[in-house]
Amino acid sequence: MEKEDLLALYRQMVLIRQVEDRSAEMYGKAKIGGFLHLYNGQEAVAVGALSALNPDDDVLTTYRDHGYALLRGCSPESVMAELFGRATGTTGGRGGSMHLANVKNHFWGGYAIVGAHLPLAAGLAYAAQYQKDGRVVLCVMGDGSTNIGYFHATLNWAQLWKLPVIFMVENNRYAMGTPLDVHSSVTDIVQKAAGYRMHAEQVDGNDVMAVREVICRMADRARAGEGPSLVEAVTYRHRAHSMADPDVQRAKSEIASWKEQDPIERFAEEVLLPKGYTQADFDAIVREAEVVVQKAVEFADASPEPGRDTLYDHVYATPVANMQVDGTLIAPPTLAAR
Ligand SMILES: Cc1ncc(C[n+]2csc(CCOP(=O)(O)OP(=O)(O)O)c2C)c(N)n1
Ligand SMILES: [Mg+2]
């Protein structure tokens, strides 16, 4: 990669970190409600993986989705506004943190149900294979997802049909507060792929270049018709499972030791410094991101909430009759009217 492209990866990781830190702060101020799962510590996985794909390759992930949304063209303003539940958010304030999406840029979203997006990823991969359009699907999940029935059913079919899909497990060693060896009988997650004769590789998820390299190779394989693969990216989240989690199960010393291997600092030291960049360059990028995210927060705060008259927009089931908002009866539109 060119020097400037390497710096761009750094800039992306810093932006994600800044969005997460400010979101935590806004949650503390009750500007953001509901669920909020932050990605601090795992930035190298998303940035490395997406840098390896084409813009029209499909991407799906879990509820820990802010980084993926930003990388797939959701502006910091629209992400922050969605977290604030505002009409200017990525899904008009209806989805919140866990359901960011940008279908135009082949980012199919944030999924809240553990493992439920795996069959959807296989479906997208089947469509790509059927249409012979050379697209690859990246399906991101947590270590906890690998215990779910969807995981096993989907890996089986994906391998049988040689679908162009990469299953990337972000192994942050915990499912909520439950450690890997307490929730999974197999702790070496790559081994799970062997049950389906699927090619699998483990990678250091805190090394952005290593993640990029493995995803490049797995995407090439898939495009060449060699079928699916599983990549286990070993990483760690710096924050609790979600903002509502007191994080009592993980040892403080363990958290501290992973923070010492911060993927952003590591990339700066190991890759960017030897290329001639300096601490002043890094500081300038952090300040740029602070300004961008400050503007996003101000934009979100000044944005309106979704209007009452839009209550039934995007509702495909028959709405409940006699729905009241602040004492006012909101008549559901007839099916014909919708
Ligand atoms: C089917 C299902 N069961 C339980 C939950 C509650 N839940 C939300 S996140 C989570 C843990 C998932 O852990 P992991 O897959 O390792 O992802 P991580 O949060 O570590 O990124 C659980 C059990 C859920 N959302 N869906
Ligand atoms: Mg996990």
Side-chain angles (χ1 to χ4, degrees):
M1 283 179 89
E2 298 292 330
K3 232 179 112 168
E4 293 71 29
D5 297 331
L6 291 170
L7 198 65
L9 298 184
Y10 181 80
R11 193 172 281 117
Q12 290 175 342
M13 290 197 283
V14 167
L15 178 67
I16 296 172
R17 177 72 56 93
Q18 188 60 219
V19 165
E20 299 303 60
D21 284 344
R22 290 305 302 277
S23 301
E25 191 191 325
M26 292 302 123
Y27 186 92
K29 291 186 175 168
K31 292 283 183 185
I32 298 174
F35 288 105
L36 186 67
H37 307 84
L38 302 179
Y39 198 61
N40 299 57
Q42 301 185 202
E43 295 90 343
V45 186
V47 169
L50 293 205
S51 78
L53 297 179
N54 295 334
D56 66 345
D57 288 331
D58 295 301
V59 177
L60 303 87
T61 189
T62 68
Y63 41 83
R64 208 176 292 287
D65 59 353
H66 308 168
Y68 289 92
L70 290 163
L71 293 169
R72 275 300 172 104
C74 294
S75 67
E77 281 87 354
S78 68
V79 168
M80 198 55 82
E82 188 62 34
L83 305 189
F84 274 55
R86 304 302 167 97
T88 51
T90 52
T91 53
R94 286 169 157 77
S97 161
M98 303 198 287
H99 302 111
L100 304 180
N102 189 354
V103 170
K104 182 168 61 69
N105 288 353
H106 295 261
F107 174 53
W108 296 90
Y111 287 85
I113 305 301
V114 170
H117 58 304
L118 273 70
L120 304 180
L124 284 164
Y126 181 56
Q129 184 187 61
Y130 190 78
Q131 293 168 339
K132 297 190 175 60
D133 58 12
R135 273 188 290 121
V136 162
V137 180
L138 178 74
C139 179
V140 184
M141 73 199 85
D143 44 293
S145 312
T146 67
N147 306 321
I148 295 271
Y150 289 124
F151 174 85
H152 298 279
T154 305
L155 262 68
N156 180 54
W157 280 108
Q159 182 62 37
L160 204 56
W161 290 357
K162 287 211 165 1
L163 299 180
V165 51
I166 304 165
F167 298 103
M168 183 172 74
V169 181
E170 297 188 305
N171 178 9
N172 59 15
R173 321 188 71 82
Y174 288 84
M176 301 182 100
T178 311
L180 185 58
D181 61 350
V182 178
H183 75 67
S184 180
S185 64
V186 174
T187 52
D188 198 5
I189 286 173
V190 280
Q191 279 188 11
K192 295 192 179 187
Y196 305 100
R197 289 194 301 114
M198 187 179 291
H199 179 80
E201 296 193 25
Q202 191 186 58
V203 66
D204 178 350
N206 281 17
D207 180 342
V208 66
M209 298 310 283
V211 176
R212 177 182 157 82
E213 190 274 331
V214 72
I215 298 298
C216 274
R217 278 191 295 107
M218 296 306 106
D220 285 348
R221 268 185 105 253
R223 278 189 238 283
E226 289 168 37
S229 55
L230 181 141
V231 172
E232 175 192 355
V234 179
T235 184
Y236 198 80
R237 58 175 154 68
H238 291 176
R239 289 182 178 273
H241 168 72
S242 74
M243 289 302 290
D245 169 16
D247 203 12
V248 289
Q249 290 93 348
R250 303 187 308 167
K252 298 275 171 290
S253 56
E254 180 184 279
I255 301 169
S257 81
W258 278 91
K259 282 187 176 171
E260 279 167 24
Q261 308 169 49
D262 186 307
I264 304 181
E265 286 170 21
R266 236 181 95 180
F267 182 56
E269 280 162 28
E270 292 173 9
V271 179
L272 299 177
L273 282 176
K275 292 274 177 196
Y277 288 112
T278 63
Q279 189 58 46
D281 297 321
F282 309 145
D283 293 345
I285 286 176
V286 171
R287 279 196 302 273
E288 260 170 45
E290 282 170 357
V291 171
V292 166
V293 179
Q294 175 59 28
K295 280 193 188 142
V297 167
E298 286 166 16
F299 172 84
D301 209 20
S303 292
E305 292 189 340
R308 278 183 200 186
D309 54 333
T310 69
L311 189 63
Y312 289 107
D313 289 359
H314 319 296
V315 174
Y316 298 104
T318 306
V320 205
N322 303 324
M323 167 95 75
Q324 291 192 11
V325 176
D326 297 341
T328 308
L329 190 68
I330 309 264
T334 61
L335 277 177
R338 284 183 292 130

